């Protein structure tokens, strides 16, 4: 897919924070900037899971290294990362081999779970602002 064809919209529920990336430009609360798709997720960390190979977990400068990869069921890969200075400090990433997206990320400081990713075809109209209902319980993780 061409760089100019990639786009995303991020709206944080319960907050005025929103960001949009389209045609090589990032539009956020800080203004509009020309950036690459790979760098665009810096303003909306969950968006970074779309390109897990670019997450700062793959060695320096984050000081993490992958130390274990496990297949879960048929198409999920669980990566476990270990901090080079403290082996007890770990992070994990669950990647779906079918779409290459990291659907779950866990570390000591945060947890991110993508509950839905929708890829639009060229014929699809731009969706209206999404509305998400508040979770009543933790999502059941079924791999």
């Amino acid at each position: 897919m061409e760089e100019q064809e990639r786009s995303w919209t991020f709206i944080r529920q319960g907050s005025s924070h929103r960001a949009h990336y389209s045609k090589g430009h990032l539009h956020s609360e800080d203004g509009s900037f020309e950036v690459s798709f790979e760098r665009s997720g810096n303003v909306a960390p969950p968006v970074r899971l779309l390109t897990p190979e670019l997450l700062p977990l793959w060695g320096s400068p984050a000081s993490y290294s992958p130390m274990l990869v496990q297949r879960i069921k048929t198409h999920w890969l669980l990566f476990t990362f270990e901090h080079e200075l403290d082996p007890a400090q770990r992070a994990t990433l669950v990647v779906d081999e079918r779409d290459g997206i990291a659907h779950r990320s866990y570390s000591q400081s945060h947890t991110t779970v993508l509950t839905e990713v929708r890829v639009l075809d060229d014929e699809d109209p731009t969706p209206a602002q999404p509305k998400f209902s508040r979770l009543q319980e933790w999502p059941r993780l079924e791999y």
Side-chain angles (χ1 to χ4, degrees):
M1 178 180 287
E2 294 289 324
E3 178 79 15
Q4 294 296 317
E5 295 175 1
R6 294 175 146 188
S7 66
W8 56 259
T9 299
F10 178 78
I11 301 167
R12 183 168 301 197
Q13 184 177 356
S15 170
S16 62
H17 176 76
R18 66 181 311 146
H20 176 74
Y21 178 80
S22 179
K23 298 180 181 174
H25 286 83
L26 175 64
H27 308 277
S28 71
E29 298 168 336
D30 297 329
S32 180
F33 306 96
E34 187 174 343
V35 297
S36 67
F37 177 82
E38 288 78 13
R39 294 190 47 118
S40 68
N42 288 344
V43 298
V47 172
R48 298 180 82 186
L49 296 179
L50 298 174
T51 53
E53 68 278 7
L54 299 175
L55 289 170
L57 285 171
W58 304 97
S60 295
S63 301
Y64 280 89
S65 297
M67 48 88 60
L68 178 65
V69 179
Q70 296 171 278
R71 179 172 303 285
I72 302 172
K73 297 228 177 175
T74 59
H75 58 273
W76 297 99
L77 294 177
L78 170 63
F79 291 85
T80 302
F81 297 85
E82 183 179 277
H83 194 278
E84 67 182 25
L85 301 177
D86 182 0
Q89 188 174 339
R90 306 264 171 119
T92 60
L93 193 64
V94 178
V95 177
D96 186 338
E97 284 187 300
R98 297 172 300 183
D99 59 16
I101 294 173
H103 287 258
R104 293 168 181 80
S105 172
Y106 303 93
S107 71
Q108 290 180 320
S109 61
H110 68 279
T111 298
T112 305
V113 177
L114 296 182
T115 56
E116 182 179 0
V117 174
R118 201 170 130 212
V119 178
L120 299 177
D121 293 326
D122 290 338
E123 295 82 33
D124 289 341
T126 303
Q129 180 174 334
K131 302 279 187 211
F132 299 99
S133 58
R134 185 169 296 282
L135 293 175
Q136 301 302 316
E137 59 184 57
W138 282 96
R140 288 180 184 22
L141 303 179
E142 296 179 24
Y143 296 103

